[in-house]
Amino acid sequence: MLRKALIAGLSTVAAAALSAAPANAASYTYPDTHYVEADELVSNLNSIAWPSQETYNTYSNSTPLLTWGTNGTPTSYRNRSRCASFVTEVFKHTFSWATPSYFQTSFGSTSPFAADYYNTIKTASVSDHFARIGSVSILRRGDIIAIKYNDGGSGGSGEATGHVMIVQDKHQYDRDGDPDTTEWAVRVVDSTSNPHGAAETAQPGSPYLSYPDTRSVPVFGSAGDDEEYNGAGRGWIFIQVVNNRATGYWWGANENTFYSVANRPMAMGRVVESTSSQTDQVMELNQ
């Protein structure tokens, strides 16, 4: 309980530009405590060397299981999840309001898929505990990126609907050399079967080495792909922007496939809490 109380004190309050003025006098906070919890879990798990980490950390379609152990004792932590169930379980662990009834009401499921996160964030109100983010440039720690695979995507049952991840940080990165576009390298925490970037093809000087994924370990001179793993970890996604709006993304620094938002639309949201239980204001943050 003491640890929870201390972490709760890390919640941040931000001044935000809203698309419309709130309809009441409620005040809003934008906590990132879910990131703190996800960071603890992932940091401990990722400190275990591969392949031993596979015993404790895996991407799985089975019933999700996330265990927070004793910080500094990595083998007391567990992750068994997909991308959406990872975020859901982190929310349930962090916030008292993240109950099965909340997920059923806001997402239409007690265990939503990635596309459900996209659909909810795209039109979210304060009662859904999300404020929509209108610009990649204001993404910050704890924000949620949800991608919907209208093109079918890849992965196992359910997760083919898209991908969802928690933002750690970001910076500009010229990914395509086009002066008419802006790209952002966004470091994320997620659970995935496919690490961000291809470690097995990385050679000395590869951009992957500057933007690695904790689930991939380059082995120079190796023709195999046994240095790539799955589960919860950190990686980088590269988002292209035109006129301050996302137009698509690359999955990793050394992956060439560009996914347009025409086929894989993206929704970005920030967790929001209100002092008023009656608030149902739709909010878009732009600065």
Side-chain angles (χ1 to χ4, degrees):
M1 294 298 292
L2 176 59
R3 183 170 75 88
K4 286 295 182 186
L6 291 173
I7 290 175
L10 296 174
S11 295
T12 56
V13 179
L18 308 182
S19 58
N24 54 40
S27 61
Y28 303 94
T29 60
Y30 304 94
D32 63 1
T33 44
H34 56 291
Y35 172 83
V36 175
E37 293 293 311
D39 176 69
E40 179 186 315
L41 180 78
V42 167
S43 293
N44 277 276
L45 289 171
N46 292 168
S47 69
I48 304 171
W50 297 105
S52 298
Q53 191 180 144
E54 288 183 295
T55 301
Y56 308 95
N57 182 18
T58 184
Y59 179 94
S60 175
N61 288 324
S62 300
T63 302
L65 173 66
L66 274 67
T67 301
W68 279 258
T70 301
N71 199 4
T73 306
T75 55
S76 64
Y77 290 78
R78 297 287 189 279
N79 168 67
R80 183 181 69 219
S81 66
R82 305 184 304 268
C83 67
S85 59
F86 174 78
V87 174
T88 297
E89 293 302 310
V90 168
F91 274 37
K92 288 165 63 177
H93 175 75
T94 306
F95 300 115
S96 61
W97 45 260
T99 62
S101 61
Y102 157 74
F103 285 105
Q104 184 65 51
T105 299
S106 291
F107 296 88
S109 171
T110 57
S111 184
F113 291 133
D116 299 320
Y117 271 91
Y118 169 86
N119 291 335
T120 292
I121 292 173
K122 191 71 176 175
T123 58
S125 65
V126 176
S127 63
D128 297 311
H129 288 282
F130 277 106
R132 188 171 61 242
I133 293 174
S135 170
V136 176
S137 64
I138 68 168
L139 283 173
R140 71 179 195 188
R141 191 176 85 167
D143 288 345
I144 304 297
I145 299 174
I147 299 170
K148 186 176 183 178
Y149 292 171
N150 288 335
D151 58 3
S154 60
S157 175
E159 283 313 298
T161 66
H163 190 68
V164 61
M165 57 209 110
I166 305 172
V167 172
Q168 177 175 338
D169 53 39
K170 71 177 191 312
H171 61 259
Q172 286 191 19
Y173 175 86
D174 187 3
R175 180 64 171 77
D176 62 5
D178 185 346
D180 294 327
T181 66
T182 301
E183 289 80 49
W184 292 90
V186 184
R187 182 158 46 181
V188 297
V189 175
D190 60 1
S191 183
T192 178
S193 62
N194 179 22
H196 296 269
E200 79 272 18
T201 65
Q203 298 299 321
S206 168
Y208 175 82
L209 301 182
S210 298
Y211 297 93
D213 190 292
T214 57
R215 292 148 293 204
S216 299
V217 183
V219 179
F220 299 134
S222 171
D225 61 357
D226 58 348
E227 65 273 13
E228 290 199 353
Y229 301 92
N230 59 53
R234 304 177 201 275
W236 295 81
I237 187 170
F238 295 79
I239 302 175
Q240 182 190 78
V241 172
V242 175
N243 295 327
N244 219 25
R245 295 287 176 169
T247 55
Y249 69 93
W250 295 267
W251 185 249
N254 65 335
E255 299 195 30
N256 294 324
T257 302
F258 177 76
Y259 298 100
S260 169
V261 295
N263 296 318
R264 296 191 175 186
M266 180 182 301
M268 302 174 292
R270 182 167 300 163
V271 175
V272 60
E273 296 180 334
S274 170
T275 59
S276 172
S277 61
Q278 302 302 314
T279 298
D280 197 30
Q281 178 75 19
V282 175
M283 304 168 66
E284 180 170 300
L285 309 180
N286 288 296
Q287 68 180 34

